[in-house]
């Protein structure tokens, strides 16, 4: 219906995969069963899942455990739904060549973790292990301007001005890396120390890489 034939539809699929940068993915048919030349990867499936979950109807469907449609009782084959806290998708897949596969999504506290399991003998146990590892070993958090000398700037005649930092979006890091996160304050020497506009930026660096930047303003002064 969309392309006129399955072959033409598959061509559209491969064009979209190329547009999305899915270098390991090549489609041969539209149904996903084993076929020579049909390939993908865990990384590519993650990108596809994230893109698909942007569509509210898709996200609602993959999070639904069961539904009756046109007199048929449909049951989602994702056994994590309703069992693993926060599970809300995404897709199971099983073929002779691929084995047990699962793209699993878990949403908690406004954040989502996606685990991709391919060629498994027990996809649910493997997915649980990955999701538990992410929960225990990684953390989202926001960062704030430290309450120390970085929070003050000296203006004319030695007057001190209290700085304020805009709220940062949550940073996602391994738990062990959080103590290594370093704040860097950069003030614009030409910016007047008033509350009207940003006077610099607060950067957060990890191993020489900037992972977050927020503007700095004046909270109060002399």
């Amino acid at each position: 219906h969309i392309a006129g034939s399955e072959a033409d539809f598959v061509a559209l699929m491969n064009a979209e995969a190329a547009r999305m940068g899915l270098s390991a993915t090549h489609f041969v048919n539209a149904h996903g069963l084993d076929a020579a030349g049909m390939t993908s990867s865990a990384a590519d499936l993650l990108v596809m899942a994230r893109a698909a979950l942007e569509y509210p109807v898709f996200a609602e469907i993959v999070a639904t455990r069961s539904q009756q449609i046109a007199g048929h009782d449909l049951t989602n084959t994702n056994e994590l739904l309703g069992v693993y806290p926060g599970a809300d998708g995404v897709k199971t897949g099983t073929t002779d060549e691929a084995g047990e596969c699962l793209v699993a999504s878990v949403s908690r506290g406004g954040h989502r973790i996606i685990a991709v399991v391919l060629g498994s003998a027990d996809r649910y146990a493997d997915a649980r292990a990955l999701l538990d590892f992410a929960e225990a070993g990684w953390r989202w958090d926001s960062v704030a301007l430290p309450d120390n000398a970085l929070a003050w700037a000296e203006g004319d005649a030695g007057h001190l001005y209290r700085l304020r930092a805009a709220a940062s979006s949550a940073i996602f890091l391994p738990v062990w890396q959080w103590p290594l996160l370093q704040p860097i304050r950069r003030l614009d020497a030409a910016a007047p120390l008033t509350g009207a506009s940003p006077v610099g930026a607060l950067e957060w660096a990890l191993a020489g890489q900037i992972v977050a930047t927020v503007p700095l303003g004046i909270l109060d002064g002399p």
Side-chain angles (χ1 to χ4, degrees), residues 111-113 134 137-141 169-174 177-178:
H111 300 292
R112 169 175 274 130
I113 297 173
W138 295 71
R139 189 174 92 232
W140 277 281
D141 209 344
S169 57
I171 301 173
F172 186 57
L173 291 174
Q177 287 187 346
W178 276 96

Side-chain angles (χ1 to χ4, degrees), residues 93-95 97-102 117-124 126:
T94 307
T95 70
E97 292 186 15
E100 292 187 16
C101 304
L102 175 65
V117 175
L118 303 179
S120 172
D122 189 342
R123 58 186 162 204
Y124 298 110
D126 289 342

Side-chain angles (χ1 to χ4, degrees), residues 13 16 45 72 78 89 141 144 146 149 152 164 169 172 187-188:
M13 294 169 67
E16 181 66 8
L45 288 168
H72 297 281
N78 182 357
D141 209 344
W152 295 88
R164 58 178 175 81
S169 57
F172 186 57
L187 294 179
D188 182 355

Side-chain angles (χ1 to χ4, degrees), residues 31-158:
H31 49 68
L33 298 181
D34 294 331
M38 181 94 83
T39 62
S40 193
S41 67
D44 282 4
L45 288 168
L46 171 62
V47 173
M48 282 186 260
R50 292 177 64 183
L53 287 166
E54 293 294 321
Y55 293 88
V57 173
F58 178 88
E60 180 183 1
I61 290 171
V62 298
T64 301
R65 297 179 67 186
S66 62
Q67 187 67 268
Q68 187 177 76
I69 299 177
H72 297 281
D73 292 323
L74 307 181
T75 301
N76 197 319
T77 57
N78 182 357
E79 296 177 10
L80 294 182
L81 296 180
V83 177
Y84 192 90
D88 58 359
V90 176
K91 183 69 175 71
T92 62
T94 307
T95 70
D96 291 340
E97 292 186 15
E100 292 187 16
C101 304
L102 175 65
V103 180
S105 168
V106 170
S107 296
R108 297 175 187 163
H111 300 292
R112 169 175 274 130
I113 297 173
I114 298 175
V116 181
V117 175
L118 303 179
S120 172
D122 189 342
R123 58 186 162 204
Y124 298 110
D126 289 342
R128 283 174 174 272
L130 286 171
L131 294 167
D132 288 347
F133 172 77
E135 180 73 15
W138 295 71
R139 189 174 92 232
W140 277 281
D141 209 344
S142 57
V143 289
L145 180 64
D147 188 16
N148 56 26
L150 290 179
W152 295 88
E154 184 175 342
D156 295 337

